[in-house]
Amino acid sequence: MEAKIFESEHQINYYECDASQQLTISMLVNIMMQASGEQSHELGVGDEALAEKGLAWIVLQYTVDIKQIPTAHQKITITTQALSYNKLFCYREFNVYDETGQLCVTAKSTFALLDIEKRKMVRIQDEVVAPFKAPFSKRLIRTPKPEKVKEEQSTESEYRVRYLDIDTNLHVNNSKYLDWSIDTLDYEFLTTHKLTHLTIKFEKEVYYGHQIKSQMSLLENETGQFISAHRIMTGDVVNSEASMTWEKIEKESNR
């Protein structure tokens, strides 16, 4: 049995991009999540069908590798498929291609089912995942753990969770964690470096009105790459951890 592959196209709008006209990482994640949602809806197990069961999908972790970030006005193609599932988790893959068919981004994610009323994870129901034709496997897929924030070298910013930060699951949308994390890096760094890898893990939900702390430490490794470690906290509770790999943007010579 081969898992179904879903394909979707998206025209990148200027308001999905940053100051350099590149698609922001939070918008990239939103577009990929939209594609997975479209597949679920097409197969009859979309958000509405799950809500009738008192359930919703939540993202626990994802890793993203970026070869080339798409830019404003480009048309991209997103493919996605459910790779496998077990009693508690469902694993999904994404690929993003540019107009020439060049692979730009690959990502893998871990999903779980949430009991909306109890706000607890529940066992994966066979009838929910059967339409995707993903195989059942007892094996847990181990994903890389994010780097830890170095306390002695960390910086911190605070934010209040706004109404527009929450989604239909009534908690903060996972893309907002990325905005809060990246905002701890300064303008000079963000305009001279490009993101090549991201790992983020979600631990506890954040809700409307919460006051969150976004913490970050930045280190250069032996290959000249920069690794930023990120942590989102409410009080003493760790809500998410992430690490990002950055490379310096090479300027073109004026020959």
Side-chain angles (χ1 to χ4, degrees), residues 5-8 35 77-81 93-97:
I5 299 176
F6 181 80
E7 183 175 305
S8 176
T77 299
I78 307 98
T79 64
T80 184
Q81 67 181 127
E93 181 180 65
F94 299 87
N95 290 296
V96 179
Y97 302 88

Side-chain angles (χ1 to χ4, degrees), residues 106-136:
T106 60
K108 290 186 178 178
S109 61
T110 304
F111 285 79
L113 276 178
L114 176 76
D115 183 308
I116 298 173
E117 184 176 347
K118 296 180 180 179
R119 311 305 296 180
K120 291 183 178 180
M121 286 171 45
V122 296
R123 183 181 176 128
I124 300 292
Q125 300 181 7
D126 291 340
E127 64 269 22
V128 171
V129 294
F132 298 98
K133 298 190 180 301
F136 176 84

Side-chain angles (χ1 to χ4, degrees), residues 49 69 77 79 95 97-98 100 111 116 130 133 136 157 160 167 177 186 197 205 211 223 226 229 237 248 250-251:
I69 196 72
T77 299
T79 64
N95 290 296
Y97 302 88
D98 66 14
T100 68
F111 285 79
I116 298 173
K133 298 190 180 301
F136 176 84
S157 298
R160 185 185 67 84
D167 58 22
Y177 293 79
D186 63 36
H197 178 79
E205 295 177 292
Q211 194 76 17
T223 64
F226 286 89
V237 176
K248 192 168 183 61
E250 298 295 335
K251 294 183 178 181

Side-chain angles (χ1 to χ4, degrees), residues 195-213:
L195 180 63
T196 60
H197 178 79
L198 159 71
T199 297
I200 185 166
K201 185 176 182 180
F202 303 97
E203 300 285 357
K204 299 288 185 180
E205 295 177 292
V206 179
Y207 299 105
Y208 171 72
H210 278 179
Q211 194 76 17
I212 71 100
K213 294 179 290 186

Side-chain angles (χ1 to χ4, degrees), residues 6-218:
F6 181 80
E7 183 175 305
S8 176
E9 290 187 346
H10 180 79
Q11 181 82 41
I12 297 175
N13 300 291
Y14 76 92
Y15 53 79
E16 297 171 321
C17 299
D18 60 17
S20 61
Q21 298 191 44
Q22 293 185 327
L23 183 66
T24 66
I25 187 63
S26 58
M27 282 298 172
L28 171 63
V29 166
N30 283 334
I31 292 167
M32 292 191 295
M33 293 300 116
Q34 175 69 18
S36 67
E38 289 174 1
Q39 183 184 30
S40 298
H41 181 76
E42 185 179 273
L43 295 175
V45 286
D47 292 343
E48 300 85 354
L50 285 183
E52 291 178 2
K53 297 175 177 287
L55 302 172
W57 285 113
I58 56 170
V59 183
L60 300 179
Q61 185 168 358
Y62 49 74
T63 59
V64 183
D65 286 296
I66 302 171
K67 294 183 177 181
Q68 181 66 44
I69 196 72
T71 55
H73 313 303
Q74 279 189 325
K75 181 180 287 186
I76 58 175
T77 299
I78 307 98
T79 64
T80 184
Q81 67 181 127
L83 297 176
S84 65
Y85 73 101
N86 52 47
K87 291 180 180 180
L88 289 176
F89 309 119
C90 183
Y91 305 103
R92 178 177 282 274
E93 181 180 65
F94 299 87
N95 290 296
V96 179
Y97 302 88
D98 66 14
E99 294 172 322
T100 68
Q102 184 77 22
L103 180 63
C104 297
V105 178
T106 60
K108 290 186 178 178
S109 61
T110 304
F111 285 79
L113 276 178
L114 176 76
D115 183 308
I116 298 173
E117 184 176 347
K118 296 180 180 179
R119 311 305 296 180
K120 291 183 178 180
M121 286 171 45
V122 296
R123 183 181 176 128
I124 300 292
Q125 300 181 7
D126 291 340
E127 64 269 22
V128 171
V129 294
F132 298 98
K133 298 190 180 301
F136 176 84
S137 173
K138 293 182 180 180
R139 185 174 69 91
L140 293 175
I141 297 179
R142 301 294 181 184
T143 49
K145 292 182 179 180
E147 296 285 338
K148 297 290 185 180
V149 171
K150 306 295 183 185
E151 303 285 352
E152 66 280 3
Q153 299 169 317
S154 66
T155 59
E156 180 178 297
S157 298
E158 293 191 5
Y159 305 87
R160 185 185 67 84
V161 178
R162 308 165 303 170
Y163 174 76
L164 294 178
D165 293 329
I166 61 176
D167 58 22
T168 55
N169 285 332
L170 303 182
H171 61 194
V172 170
N173 185 276
N174 64 79
S175 66
K176 297 296 181 181
Y177 293 79
L178 293 170
D179 287 338
W180 290 331
S181 296
I182 290 176
D183 194 46
T184 56
L185 295 158
D186 63 36
Y187 182 89
E188 172 67 21
F189 182 87
L190 291 172
T191 53
T192 55
H193 294 80
K194 60 182 180 180
L195 180 63
T196 60
H197 178 79
L198 159 71
T199 297
I200 185 166
K201 185 176 182 180
F202 303 97
E203 300 285 357
K204 299 288 185 180
E205 295 177 292
V206 179
Y207 299 105
Y208 171 72
H210 278 179
Q211 194 76 17
I212 71 100
K213 294 179 290 186
S214 179
Q215 301 169 332
M216 183 275 296
S217 61
L218 183 66

